[in-house]
Amino acid sequence: MRAGVVVTASPGVEDLAVQAEELGLDSFWVYDTPMVHGDPFVALGLCAKVTSRIRLGIGVTSPALRSAPAAASGFASLNALAPGRIICGVGTGNTARRTLGMRPTTAAALESFTAALQDLCAGRTIEYREGDRVSDVRFLHTEGHVNTANPIEFVVAALGSKAAAVAGRRGTGLISFGLLDPTAWQALHDARRHAAHGTPRDPDSRTDSYLVTALHILDEDEDPHGDAARDATGHLVLSLLAFAADTAAEARAFAEQLGPEEREAVRRLLDRRGTTATAPDRHTKLYPNYLGRIAPEDRDLILPSLMNTLALVGTRDDLRARITTLEQAGIDELLIQPVIDPPTEMAQFAKLLT
């Protein structure tokens, strides 16, 4: 299985990209969460100038954050800096919208946005709409500014069948966050394949599947649910608890699937952050330091059940066996987010998969 890394955009991110490339990792991604992290296009622009091989991805942008022309300009500009190495991840904006106190966009809007980006980044013309106004839009001057000649890889973020179907109709890959269940991946692949049936596809386009998770390699006799393991995986667990704390319909449906212990952890998180599931400003309390290293006082919220669901924790042999199972489920590349000591964690990850 291929290996990659995803990080938050911040000064110095280019140094991690250089190390990732030197370690032989296949891709380097940054999140797109505007009010929480730095700008991913700025970050990857820096990374593009100091690397030569590793693929560079944004995971993921959304039509609720940028217009298609603005996003296409960003990706095509990156493609001019790193020709053929750019990955455009797109999604409904589940996290990026919630951190603004807003709802994610729809699958239909995601599909229209993806189609527009694919066309614009390939140098084609689209119909651009704002309300009742419609106009033809294309890059008016590409040479020396953007690159529409080298292909950009597209992936759609999916946890369920609707987004996976968008990937099928648009001929893209998939990316999912914390989804370690091989059966769930089979369902995503089936939905993508069913939606793609009968639709003409570019035989050269990539349709790879990416899994974002956290990883902790246990030392001999180390507690798999001890402080070190909780610190390495806690950012994923807290992101899930924050989602479950939302009152949106999809979040409520998810929360109802949690057990009593997990629901109690959601309640404690809300109480600890001094907010409620219905407070209009809850996003300002739940999302500071989102996907960053957890505070020691929050370790009790990192439940073993959720660690096992979202992250890879185990001995080297245990992890290699689990990764083999994921590869058999059709996952092409495993992405980890290091939060404790990124250089060391990336080196351990690279060694694990060699």
Side-chain angles (χ1 to χ4, degrees):
M1 182 183 287
R2 299 196 312 261
V5 64
V6 57
V7 300
T8 58
S10 59
V13 68
E14 68 272 24
D15 297 331
L16 290 177
V18 169
Q19 185 193 6
E21 183 167 85
E22 291 174 346
L23 288 169
L25 297 181
D26 292 277
S27 66
F28 186 88
W29 303 62
V30 292
Y31 293 118
D32 188 8
T33 315
M35 293 294 101
V36 181
H37 306 136
D39 185 83
F41 291 97
V42 172
L44 285 191
L46 294 171
C47 296
K49 296 296 288 183
V50 295
T51 59
S52 60
R53 176 197 57 81
I54 198 166
R55 293 173 300 128
L56 304 171
I58 289 181
V60 297
T61 195
S62 164
L65 298 178
R66 295 177 180 85
S67 69
S73 179
F75 283 105
S77 296
L78 288 174
N79 203 27
L81 297 175
R85 292 197 284 135
I86 303 304
I87 311 171
C88 170
V90 290
T92 60
N94 185 58
T95 298
R97 292 288 287 170
R98 293 186 194 286
T99 57
L100 301 175
M102 300 293 174
R103 297 286 302 278
T105 190
T106 64
L110 170 62
E111 185 163 358
S112 297
F113 180 70
T114 304
L117 282 182
Q118 289 175 308
D119 283 338
L120 288 172
C121 288
R124 296 187 288 267
T125 299
I126 68 164
E127 280 192 349
Y128 177 63
R129 297 176 178 271
E130 288 188 6
D132 295 332
R133 294 181 63 87
V134 181
S135 63
D136 288 342
V137 171
R138 61 178 174 82
F139 283 112
L140 301 178
H141 183 54
T142 58
E143 186 176 351
H145 295 266
V146 297
N147 176 2
T148 60
N150 294 95
I152 290 175
E153 180 182 356
F154 286 85
V155 297
V156 169
L159 286 173
S161 60
K162 287 184 179 180
V166 171
R169 288 189 291 270
R170 298 310 315 162
T172 76
L174 291 169
I175 186 169
S176 200
F177 187 87
L179 191 66
L180 294 177
D181 181 2
T183 302
W185 271 100
Q186 183 62 55
L188 292 183
H189 289 141
D190 286 347
R192 179 176 61 176
R193 186 166 45 250
H194 178 75
H197 182 69
T199 304
R201 289 288 171 260
D202 179 356
D204 296 325
S205 64
R206 299 178 67 146
T207 56
D208 292 349
S209 294
Y210 298 85
L211 168 60
V212 181
T213 187
L215 179 127
H216 181 68
I217 303 173
L218 295 173
D219 292 330
E220 186 176 356
D221 298 326
E222 181 183 350
D223 181 358
H225 303 127
D227 287 351
R230 290 177 190 241
D231 288 348
T233 63
H235 56 295
L236 263 68
V237 174
L238 284 185
S239 73
L240 182 145
L241 294 177
F243 173 64
D246 202 300
T247 55
E250 60 269 29
R252 288 200 306 270
F254 170 78
E256 289 171 359
Q257 300 175 26
L258 298 177
E261 187 180 19
E262 291 79 12
R263 290 197 294 271
E264 171 61 17
V266 173
R267 188 199 64 76
R268 293 205 312 275
L269 174 65
L270 286 166
D271 185 64
R272 194 166 298 176
R273 299 295 186 264
T275 189
T276 68
T278 57
D281 66 343
R282 63 187 179 277
H283 61 287
T284 66
K285 307 292 181 61
L286 288 172
Y287 290 105
N289 193 42
Y290 183 74
L291 291 177
R293 182 172 180 171
I294 67 167
E297 57 267 27
D298 285 334
R299 285 175 179 151
D300 63 303
L301 299 174
I302 313 307
L303 305 180
S305 60
L306 297 179
M307 292 171 64
N308 296 338
T309 297
L310 299 171
L312 294 170
V313 177
T315 66
R316 282 174 170 77
D317 288 343
D318 292 337
L319 293 174
R320 288 189 177 114
R322 290 191 70 183
I323 290 169
T324 296
T325 300
L326 293 170
E327 188 171 24
Q328 291 169 346
I331 297 170
D332 299 289
E333 189 163 333
L334 189 65
L335 309 175
I336 66 159
Q337 185 200 343
V339 294
I340 308 301
D341 179 2
T344 299
E345 291 173 80
M346 289 196 303
Q348 291 174 337
F349 182 43
K351 185 177 181 180
L352 178 69
L353 292 189
T354 57

